[in-house]
Amino acid sequence: MSVLDEVPATEARSAVPDSAALYRTIRFIRRFEERAVELVKAGEIRSGIHPCIGQEAVAAGAVATLDADDVVLSGHRGHGHLLAKGCDPARLMAELAGRATGIDRGRGGSFHPSDFSANVFNATGTVGHGAAIAAGIGWAAATAGSPRVVLSFFGDGAVSQGALLEGFNLAALWRLPVVYVCENNGYATTLPAGAAIAGTVVGRGEAFGIPSSSVDGQDAETVYAAVREAVVRARSGGGPSLLEMRTYRYHGHHTFELKTRLRYREQSEVDSWLGRDPLLIQAARVAEDERARVDAEVEARLDEVVRFAVASPYPDPATATDHLHADGLRPRPGSAR
Protein backbone atom coordinates (compact mmCIF):
# COMPACT_ATOMS: atom_id res chain seq x y z
CA MET A 1 0.00 0.00 0.00
CA SER A 2 1.33 3.43 -0.98
CA VAL A 3 1.31 6.46 1.28
CA LEU A 4 -0.72 8.14 -1.47
CA ASP A 5 -3.41 5.47 -1.76
CA GLU A 6 -6.02 7.77 -0.23
CA VAL A 7 -5.41 10.56 -2.76
CA PRO A 8 -7.68 10.31 -5.85
CA ALA A 9 -5.72 10.42 -9.12
CA THR A 10 -7.83 13.30 -10.44
CA GLU A 11 -6.56 15.56 -7.67
CA ALA A 12 -3.09 15.48 -9.21
CA ARG A 13 -4.41 17.61 -12.08
CA SER A 14 -6.41 20.07 -9.97
CA ALA A 15 -5.47 23.74 -10.02
CA VAL A 16 -6.06 23.83 -6.27
CA PRO A 17 -3.76 21.63 -4.16
CA ASP A 18 -5.21 19.36 -1.49
CA SER A 19 -3.69 20.76 1.71
CA ALA A 20 -4.38 17.67 3.79
CA ALA A 21 -2.95 15.34 1.15
CA LEU A 22 0.22 17.42 0.92
CA TYR A 23 0.55 17.39 4.70
CA ARG A 24 0.20 13.60 4.71
CA THR A 25 2.94 13.21 2.11
CA ILE A 26 5.33 15.60 3.85
CA ARG A 27 4.70 13.97 7.22
CA PHE A 28 5.23 10.50 5.79
CA ILE A 29 8.49 11.45 4.07
CA ARG A 30 9.79 13.19 7.21
CA ARG A 31 9.07 10.22 9.46
CA PHE A 32 10.27 7.69 6.87
CA GLU A 33 13.62 9.48 6.74
CA GLU A 34 13.85 9.77 10.51
CA ARG A 35 13.12 6.07 10.91
CA ALA A 36 15.69 5.31 8.22
CA VAL A 37 18.32 7.32 10.12
CA GLU A 38 17.49 5.22 13.19
CA LEU A 39 18.11 2.08 11.16
CA VAL A 40 21.46 3.49 10.01
CA LYS A 41 22.44 4.03 13.65
CA ALA A 42 21.31 0.49 14.48
CA GLY A 43 23.43 -0.98 11.69
CA GLU A 44 20.45 -2.25 9.69
CA ILE A 45 21.16 0.17 6.81
CA ARG A 46 24.88 -0.37 6.40
CA SER A 47 25.59 2.02 3.54
CA GLY A 48 24.10 5.07 5.24
CA ILE A 49 21.72 7.44 3.46
CA HIS A 50 21.39 11.00 2.16
CA PRO A 51 18.37 12.27 4.16
CA CYS A 52 16.00 14.74 2.52
CA ILE A 53 14.72 16.03 5.88
CA GLY A 54 13.87 19.70 5.34
CA GLN A 55 13.27 19.32 1.60
CA GLU A 56 10.01 17.36 1.72
CA ALA A 57 7.84 20.14 0.30
CA VAL A 58 9.61 19.92 -3.05
CA ALA A 59 8.86 16.22 -3.51
CA ALA A 60 5.32 16.50 -2.17
CA GLY A 61 4.31 19.56 -4.15
CA ALA A 62 6.02 18.68 -7.41
CA VAL A 63 4.96 15.05 -7.72
CA ALA A 64 1.35 15.85 -6.74
CA THR A 65 0.98 17.60 -10.13
CA LEU A 66 1.71 14.42 -12.09
CA ASP A 67 -0.47 11.69 -13.55
CA ALA A 68 0.25 8.06 -12.75
CA ASP A 69 1.86 7.48 -16.19
CA ASP A 70 4.23 10.42 -15.87
CA VAL A 71 7.88 9.64 -15.19
CA VAL A 72 10.15 10.72 -12.34
CA LEU A 73 13.93 10.70 -12.40
CA SER A 74 15.66 11.20 -9.07
CA GLY A 75 19.12 11.43 -7.55
CA HIS A 76 21.02 10.37 -4.46
CA ARG A 77 18.71 12.32 -2.08
CA GLY A 78 15.59 10.85 -3.57
CA HIS A 79 13.57 8.82 -1.07
CA GLY A 80 10.96 11.59 -0.89
CA HIS A 81 10.53 11.59 -4.66
CA LEU A 82 9.90 7.84 -4.71
CA LEU A 83 7.45 7.94 -1.81
CA ALA A 84 5.54 10.86 -3.32
CA LYS A 85 5.30 9.00 -6.65
CA GLY A 86 3.70 5.99 -4.99
CA CYS A 87 6.50 3.51 -4.34
CA ASP A 88 5.68 0.90 -1.70
CA PRO A 89 7.36 2.33 1.43
CA ALA A 90 7.99 -1.11 2.93
CA ARG A 91 9.83 -2.30 -0.15
CA LEU A 92 11.69 1.00 -0.38
CA MET A 93 12.88 0.70 3.22
CA ALA A 94 13.88 -2.89 2.55
CA GLU A 95 15.87 -1.64 -0.43
CA LEU A 96 17.71 0.86 1.75
CA ALA A 97 18.53 -2.01 4.08
CA GLY A 98 19.85 -4.13 1.21
CA ARG A 99 17.18 -6.80 1.58
CA ALA A 100 15.97 -9.20 -1.10
CA THR A 101 12.41 -7.85 -0.74
CA GLY A 102 13.48 -4.35 -1.77
CA ILE A 103 12.11 -2.66 -4.87
CA ASP A 104 15.36 -3.56 -6.67
CA ARG A 105 15.96 -6.80 -4.76
CA GLY A 106 18.50 -5.11 -2.53
CA ARG A 107 20.82 -4.13 -5.38
CA GLY A 108 20.03 -0.42 -5.72
CA GLY A 109 20.15 0.55 -2.08
CA SER A 110 19.60 4.15 -1.04
CA PHE A 111 21.75 5.50 -3.84
CA HIS A 112 20.27 3.98 -7.03
CA PRO A 113 16.69 2.85 -6.45
CA SER A 114 14.21 2.63 -9.31
CA ASP A 115 10.62 1.43 -9.42
CA PHE A 116 9.12 0.95 -12.86
CA SER A 117 5.75 0.02 -11.33
CA ALA A 118 5.51 3.62 -10.09
CA ASN A 119 7.24 5.07 -13.20
CA VAL A 120 10.35 6.06 -11.27
CA PHE A 121 12.81 5.14 -13.98
CA ASN A 122 16.08 5.88 -12.22
CA ALA A 123 17.88 7.58 -9.38
CA THR A 124 21.34 8.56 -10.58
CA GLY A 125 24.16 8.72 -8.09
CA THR A 126 26.34 10.30 -10.77
CA VAL A 127 25.37 13.94 -10.35
CA GLY A 128 23.40 15.59 -13.15
CA HIS A 129 23.18 12.68 -15.54
CA GLY A 130 19.46 12.18 -14.99
CA ALA A 131 18.80 15.32 -17.05
CA ALA A 132 20.11 13.68 -20.22
CA ILE A 133 18.13 10.51 -19.51
CA ALA A 134 15.05 12.70 -19.00
CA ALA A 135 15.54 14.21 -22.44
CA GLY A 136 15.69 10.73 -23.93
CA ILE A 137 12.50 9.61 -22.19
CA GLY A 138 10.80 12.87 -23.17
CA TRP A 139 11.85 12.38 -26.79
CA ALA A 140 10.48 8.82 -26.78
CA ALA A 141 7.16 10.03 -25.32
CA ALA A 142 6.84 12.89 -27.82
CA THR A 143 7.73 10.64 -30.75
CA ALA A 144 5.11 8.11 -29.70
CA GLY A 145 2.47 10.80 -29.31
CA SER A 146 2.17 10.03 -25.61
CA PRO A 147 0.96 12.73 -23.18
CA ARG A 148 3.61 11.66 -20.68
CA VAL A 149 5.64 14.32 -18.85
CA VAL A 150 9.06 13.69 -17.31
CA LEU A 151 9.98 15.29 -13.98
CA SER A 152 13.75 15.35 -13.46
CA PHE A 153 15.16 16.20 -10.01
CA PHE A 154 18.76 17.22 -9.29
CA GLY A 155 20.68 19.35 -6.82
CA ASP A 156 22.62 22.59 -7.07
CA GLY A 157 25.84 20.59 -7.38
CA ALA A 158 24.66 19.37 -10.81
CA VAL A 159 24.07 22.67 -12.57
CA SER A 160 27.52 22.89 -14.17
CA GLN A 161 27.72 19.26 -15.23
CA GLY A 162 28.09 18.77 -18.98
CA ALA A 163 25.50 16.00 -19.23
CA LEU A 164 22.87 18.20 -17.59
CA LEU A 165 23.56 21.10 -19.96
CA GLU A 166 23.46 18.76 -22.94
CA GLY A 167 20.10 17.52 -21.71
CA PHE A 168 18.85 21.10 -21.49
CA ASN A 169 20.00 21.75 -25.04
CA LEU A 170 18.20 18.74 -26.51
CA ALA A 171 15.04 19.36 -24.47
CA ALA A 172 14.89 22.97 -25.65
CA LEU A 173 15.82 22.20 -29.25
CA TRP A 174 13.16 19.52 -29.62
CA ARG A 175 10.59 21.09 -27.24
CA LEU A 176 10.49 17.96 -25.09
CA PRO A 177 7.94 17.43 -22.30
CA VAL A 178 10.45 17.64 -19.45
CA VAL A 179 10.23 19.64 -16.23
CA TYR A 180 13.64 20.10 -14.63
CA VAL A 181 13.59 20.71 -10.87
CA CYS A 182 16.78 21.86 -9.15
CA GLU A 183 16.64 21.37 -5.39
CA ASN A 184 19.07 24.10 -4.35
CA ASN A 185 19.75 23.37 -0.70
CA GLY A 186 22.77 25.65 -0.64
CA TYR A 187 25.51 23.01 -0.52
CA ALA A 188 27.10 20.47 -2.82
CA THR A 189 28.26 18.11 -0.05
CA THR A 190 30.12 20.79 1.95
CA LEU A 191 30.77 23.34 -0.81
CA PRO A 192 28.48 26.40 -0.62
CA ALA A 193 26.54 26.96 -3.82
CA GLY A 194 27.73 30.56 -3.94
CA ALA A 195 31.32 29.37 -4.20
CA ALA A 196 30.58 26.88 -6.96
CA ILE A 197 28.06 28.45 -9.34
CA ALA A 198 29.05 31.25 -11.71
CA GLY A 199 25.91 33.15 -12.63
CA THR A 200 22.64 31.64 -11.45
CA VAL A 201 20.74 28.36 -11.61
CA VAL A 202 17.87 30.03 -13.44
CA GLY A 203 20.35 31.53 -15.89
CA ARG A 204 21.39 28.04 -16.96
CA GLY A 205 17.92 27.36 -18.31
CA GLU A 206 17.43 30.83 -19.77
CA ALA A 207 20.59 30.39 -21.82
CA PHE A 208 18.81 27.64 -23.75
CA GLY A 209 15.55 29.56 -24.08
CA ILE A 210 13.90 27.40 -21.39
CA PRO A 211 11.27 29.17 -19.24
CA SER A 212 12.97 29.29 -15.84
CA SER A 213 12.11 30.60 -12.40
CA SER A 214 13.14 30.46 -8.75
CA VAL A 215 10.58 29.13 -6.27
CA ASP A 216 10.17 28.94 -2.47
CA GLY A 217 10.87 25.26 -1.96
CA GLN A 218 9.77 25.22 1.68
CA ASP A 219 6.11 25.81 0.83
CA ALA A 220 4.51 22.75 -0.77
CA GLU A 221 1.58 24.69 -2.19
CA THR A 222 3.86 27.25 -3.81
CA VAL A 223 5.86 24.37 -5.29
CA TYR A 224 2.65 22.75 -6.52
CA ALA A 225 1.50 25.90 -8.32
CA ALA A 226 4.84 26.44 -10.06
CA VAL A 227 5.31 22.83 -11.13
CA ARG A 228 1.70 22.44 -12.25
CA GLU A 229 2.12 25.38 -14.65
CA ALA A 230 5.25 23.77 -16.06
CA VAL A 231 3.60 20.35 -16.35
CA VAL A 232 0.60 21.80 -18.17
CA ARG A 233 2.95 23.59 -20.58
CA ALA A 234 4.96 20.43 -21.21
CA ARG A 235 1.90 18.26 -21.74
CA SER A 236 0.44 20.71 -24.25
CA GLY A 237 3.60 20.74 -26.37
CA GLY A 238 5.13 23.89 -24.92
CA GLY A 239 8.47 22.29 -24.18
CA PRO A 240 10.67 22.11 -21.07
CA SER A 241 10.87 24.28 -17.96
CA LEU A 242 13.48 24.74 -15.25
CA LEU A 243 12.45 25.44 -11.68
CA GLU A 244 14.98 26.25 -8.97
CA MET A 245 13.57 25.25 -5.59
CA ARG A 246 15.20 27.21 -2.78
CA THR A 247 15.30 24.68 0.04
CA TYR A 248 17.53 23.36 2.82
CA ARG A 249 18.56 20.04 4.33
CA TYR A 250 18.45 19.96 8.10
CA HIS A 251 20.75 16.95 8.38
CA GLY A 252 24.21 16.48 6.94
CA HIS A 253 24.93 15.63 3.34
CA HIS A 254 25.13 11.96 4.33
CA THR A 255 24.70 10.08 7.58
CA PHE A 256 28.48 9.69 7.76
CA GLU A 257 28.36 13.18 9.25
CA LEU A 258 26.86 11.63 12.38
CA LYS A 259 30.38 10.38 13.08
CA THR A 260 32.63 12.89 11.33
CA ARG A 261 30.90 16.03 12.68
CA LEU A 262 31.95 18.21 9.74
CA ARG A 263 31.76 21.94 10.42
CA TYR A 264 30.91 23.82 7.25
CA ARG A 265 27.79 25.74 8.28
CA GLU A 266 26.83 27.68 11.37
CA GLN A 267 24.05 26.50 13.67
CA SER A 268 22.47 29.93 13.34
CA GLU A 269 22.02 29.26 9.62
CA VAL A 270 20.36 25.91 10.29
CA ASP A 271 18.13 27.50 12.93
CA SER A 272 16.98 30.21 10.53
CA TRP A 273 15.85 27.56 8.04
CA LEU A 274 14.20 25.54 10.80
CA GLY A 275 11.97 28.56 11.22
CA ARG A 276 10.55 27.73 7.77
CA ASP A 277 10.09 24.00 8.28
CA PRO A 278 7.92 22.71 5.41
CA LEU A 279 6.13 20.35 7.77
CA LEU A 280 5.06 23.20 10.04
CA ILE A 281 4.10 25.43 7.12
CA GLN A 282 1.78 22.78 5.73
CA ALA A 283 0.51 21.72 9.15
CA ALA A 284 -0.83 25.23 9.71
CA ARG A 285 -3.24 24.67 6.78
CA VAL A 286 -4.79 21.51 8.21
CA ALA A 287 -7.20 21.21 11.13
CA GLU A 288 -5.66 19.88 14.34
CA ASP A 289 -7.87 16.79 14.54
CA GLU A 290 -7.07 15.94 10.92
CA ARG A 291 -3.34 16.28 11.62
CA ALA A 292 -3.60 14.03 14.67
CA ARG A 293 -5.35 11.36 12.61
CA VAL A 294 -2.78 11.56 9.83
CA ASP A 295 0.13 11.47 12.28
CA ALA A 296 -1.22 8.36 13.99
CA GLU A 297 -1.78 6.61 10.66
CA VAL A 298 1.72 7.50 9.49
CA GLU A 299 3.31 6.10 12.65
CA ALA A 300 1.30 2.88 12.45
CA ARG A 301 2.22 2.39 8.80
CA LEU A 302 5.89 3.06 9.43
CA ASP A 303 5.93 0.55 12.27
CA GLU A 304 4.85 -2.01 9.67
CA VAL A 305 7.41 -0.70 7.17
CA VAL A 306 10.32 -1.05 9.58
CA ARG A 307 9.23 -4.50 10.75
CA PHE A 308 9.00 -5.69 7.16
CA ALA A 309 12.42 -4.31 6.21
CA VAL A 310 14.29 -5.64 9.24
CA ALA A 311 12.67 -9.08 9.06
CA SER A 312 13.41 -9.48 5.35
CA PRO A 313 16.31 -11.68 4.21
CA TYR A 314 19.48 -10.51 2.55
CA PRO A 315 20.03 -11.57 -1.08
CA ASP A 316 21.63 -14.96 -1.55
CA PRO A 317 25.37 -14.41 -2.28
CA ALA A 318 25.07 -17.02 -5.01
CA THR A 319 22.95 -14.54 -6.99
CA ALA A 320 25.50 -11.71 -6.77
CA THR A 321 26.13 -11.67 -10.52
CA ASP A 322 22.46 -11.86 -11.50
CA HIS A 323 21.12 -8.91 -13.51
CA LEU A 324 24.59 -7.79 -14.62
CA HIS A 325 23.95 -8.75 -18.23
CA ALA A 326 20.85 -8.51 -20.40
CA ASP A 327 19.18 -11.76 -21.31
CA GLY A 328 18.43 -12.88 -24.84
CA LEU A 329 21.12 -10.85 -26.64
CA ARG A 330 22.37 -12.32 -29.89
CA PRO A 331 26.09 -11.77 -30.49
CA ARG A 332 27.23 -10.61 -33.91
CA PRO A 333 28.51 -13.35 -36.21
CA GLY A 334 32.17 -14.04 -35.56
CA SER A 335 32.23 -12.43 -32.12
CA ALA A 336 33.36 -14.32 -29.03
CA ARG A 337 30.59 -15.99 -27.04
Side-chain angles (χ1 to χ4, degrees), residues 125-145:
T126 52
V127 175
H129 289 80
I133 298 171
I137 298 170
W139 177 84
T143 301

Side-chain angles (χ1 to χ4, degrees), residues 4 26 36 78 83 101 129-130 167 210 224 304 310 322:
L4 301 181
I26 293 170
L83 291 169
T101 55
H129 289 80
I210 297 175
Y224 181 97
E304 298 173 357
V310 172
D322 289 359

Side-chain angles (χ1 to χ4, degrees), residues 1 44 100 102 108 128 215 242 250 278:
M1 182 179 67
E44 296 288 351
V215 179
L242 169 63
Y250 295 153

Side-chain angles (χ1 to χ4, degrees), residues 20-35:
L22 288 176
Y23 174 76
R24 173 184 288 275
T25 304
I26 293 170
R27 178 73 178 184
F28 197 96
I29 295 171
R30 173 68 58 90
R31 291 297 294 136
F32 180 97
E33 293 288 72
E34 289 173 344
R35 298 292 286 269

Side-chain angles (χ1 to χ4, degrees), residues 193-205:
I197 300 171
T200 65
V201 174
V202 168
R204 298 293 197 273

Side-chain angles (χ1 to χ4, degrees), residues 1 3 6 20 23-25 27-28 31 35 279 286-305 307:
M1 182 179 67
V3 63
E6 295 187 10
Y23 174 76
R24 173 184 288 275
T25 304
R27 178 73 178 184
F28 197 96
R31 291 297 294 136
R35 298 292 286 269
L279 182 62
V286 180
E288 185 176 354
D289 59 341
E290 175 84 359
R291 294 201 311 270
R293 182 180 66 83
V294 168
D295 293 352
E297 291 172 356
V298 165
E299 290 307 313
R301 180 69 177 115
L302 283 171
D303 286 344
E304 298 173 357
V305 164
R307 282 196 295 269

Side-chain angles (χ1 to χ4, degrees), residues 91-114:
R91 295 185 62 219
L92 178 59
M93 189 70 84
E95 187 63 34
L96 271 55
R99 300 313 210 265
T101 55
I103 55 175
D104 296 304
R105 305 180 190 179
R107 288 165 165 79
S110 171
F111 216 40
H112 300 106
S114 60

Side-chain angles (χ1 to χ4, degrees), residues 23 42 63 69 81 86 135 142 173 224 238 326 337:
Y23 174 76
V63 177
D69 286 342
H81 308 148
L173 189 65
Y224 181 97
R337 292 181 180 270

